[in-house]
Amino acid sequence: MQAPTTTMTDGLELPRIGLGTYPMDDAQAADAVRSALDVGYRLVDTAASYGNEAGVGQGVAMSDVPRDEIVVTTKLRGDDQGYESTLRAFGESRERLGLEYVDLYLIHWPLPRLGRYVDSWQAMIQLRDDGLVNSLGVSNFTPAQIDRLVAETGVAPVVNQIELHPCFVQDELRAYDADHGVVTEAWQPLARKTDLLSDPGLREIADRHGVTPAQVVLRWHVQRGVVPIPKSGDPQRQRENLDVFGFVLSEEEMAAVADRPQARSGGDPETHEEF
Ligand SMILES: NC(=O)c1ccc[n+]([C@@H]2O[C@H](COP(=O)([O-])OP(=O)(O)OC[C@H]3O[C@@H](n4cnc5c(N)ncnc54)[C@H](OP(=O)(O)O)[C@@H]3O)[C@@H](O)[C@H]2O)c1
């Protein structure tokens, strides 16, 4: 079982579902990545700040899946923003991952008060030109912040990874991304911090299709053209989360999934600071 892919503006084939790895430690990440690759995942998400890049790299190394079939994503942490520090931090991430190249490198948060995301982006363009990174993206960026990257460097991100789930649908940002050829990835796609998965309405839709509530939510993402990266270390759940390409939600069901109070549970990109 494998997720179909979507072709990005730079030619990258991005699987339409990936594996999240926060807050796994190295040992958990190594096991989780290896089993996810066995199950059929080809997109893996980590970050320098998760402290598990070494484990993710071990999972990739232990797997029988050829390296060039796997899209490994990592992210630049806030402390490392800036031109020279991005080049150095990327080298350290690459070493921890034990990989020759990284498929997708993201700026983790814009940190507008720090004011270094354009410098970081310029360094990332250099890394791409040097063949060390295949594709460049951002995480938690607003349209204005993406516009600024493009205006100052001429290079647009191919991915914007944002908080997005049925309790925070992000229609405006998703529309902006789509209009600009940016693929939206959803973090916290199962709304981890809410009781969404035990919602009776969701259960009813799931029963109708003979699937689980988590599968309904992941299918909802996929039908909206969003790439969810659910986290699980459990092979059974990993399989379940990938197996959402055999049923279709109706328009009414799509609307019902997201018919609930809307609120973000993580940081606001305009103000959130994490280093
Ligand atoms: N860019 C950013 O700023 C940012 C921020 C947060 C997260 N992320 C990334 O996004 C990934 C996903 O977000 P997240 O981990 O916060 O939330 P999530 O994927 O929405 O939820 C993960 C939780 O759901 C459980 N779960 C997974 N599959 C399930 C299923 N089929 N049925 C029931 N429960 C299930 C997991 O438990 P088990 O593990 O026990 O299966 C875990 O407790 C992270 O791992 C990370 O890679 C990025």
Side-chain angles (χ1 to χ4, degrees):
M1 180 172 47
Q2 269 183 43
T5 60
T6 187
T7 307
M8 321 282 286
T9 47
D10 66 353
L12 174 73
E13 289 292 327
L14 190 75
R16 295 183 65 186
I17 289 194
L19 178 78
T21 64
Y22 178 81
M24 296 174 185
D25 64 19
D26 277 327
Q28 291 167 330
D31 286 347
V33 168
R34 180 162 68 161
S35 83
L37 292 170
D38 273 356
V39 162
Y41 286 76
R42 294 295 180 265
L43 170 63
V44 176
D45 183 79
T46 181
S49 66
Y50 299 170
N52 64 15
E53 288 174 308
V56 167
Q58 283 159 22
V60 170
M62 286 187 296
S63 156
D64 294 331
V65 177
R67 169 70 185 94
D68 63 1
E69 290 180 17
I70 308 169
V71 178
V72 178
T73 309
T74 193
K75 313 186 192 85
L76 176 73
R77 77 161 91 219
D79 252 347
D80 294 323
Q81 284 217 26
Y83 188 87
E84 292 299 336
S85 41
T86 297
L87 297 179
R88 178 189 40 75
F90 174 79
E92 290 165 4
S93 280
R94 190 168 75 110
E95 200 160 305
R96 282 189 294 268
L97 285 160
L99 298 176
E100 275 182 36
Y101 64 91
V102 167
D103 299 271
L104 182 56
Y105 196 35
L106 312 182
I107 300 180
H108 205 146
W109 284 91
L111 308 180
R113 196 178 59 92
L114 191 68
R116 295 195 191 138
Y117 64 79
V118 176
D119 296 338
S120 308
W121 192 243
Q122 267 152 346
M124 288 164 65
I125 294 167
Q126 184 64 51
L127 291 167
R128 190 191 59 179
D129 291 348
D130 291 345
L132 297 170
V133 176
N134 283 347
S135 295
L136 303 180
V138 293
S139 179
N140 302 300
F141 270 52
T142 64
Q145 290 160 348
I146 293 178
D147 286 345
R148 183 163 168 220
L149 288 184
V150 177
E152 297 203 21
T153 69
V155 176
V158 296
V159 160
N160 189 14
Q161 184 184 113
I162 58 174
E163 179 182 350
L164 195 168
H165 43 72
C167 310
F168 193 53
V169 299
Q170 296 258 43
D171 277 337
E172 257 176 59
L173 188 44
R174 191 176 61 103
Y176 168 91
D177 285 349
D179 286 350
H180 292 77
V182 179
V183 171
T184 304
E185 283 188 355
W187 62 257
Q188 222 180 99
L190 298 171
R192 170 170 62 88
K193 291 186 180 162
T194 72
D195 52 9
L196 175 71
L197 295 185
S198 51
D199 174 75
L202 205 57
R203 162 62 63 190
E204 206 181 296
I205 298 172
D207 288 347
R208 213 177 290 148
H209 290 277
V211 298
T212 65
Q215 287 174 308
V216 170
V217 173
L218 295 169
R219 178 71 206 178
W220 172 84
H221 284 287
V222 165
Q223 279 185 222
R224 287 162 40 103
V226 169
V227 173
I229 47 167
K231 170 255 170 190
S232 183
D234 173 43
Q236 182 52 44
R237 278 188 173 171
Q238 290 179 345
R239 196 168 293 114
E240 174 184 329
N241 293 346
L242 193 58
D243 187 12
V244 302
F245 297 95
F247 66 103
V248 176
L249 298 174
S250 69
E251 252 177 60
E252 295 73 34
E253 289 169 334
M254 288 292 288
V257 168
D259 184 16
R260 55 194 76 250
Q262 296 289 305
R264 69 165 87 241
S265 68
D268 180 342
E270 301 283 9
T271 51
H272 179 76
E273 301 210 318
E274 65 174 50
F275 297 94

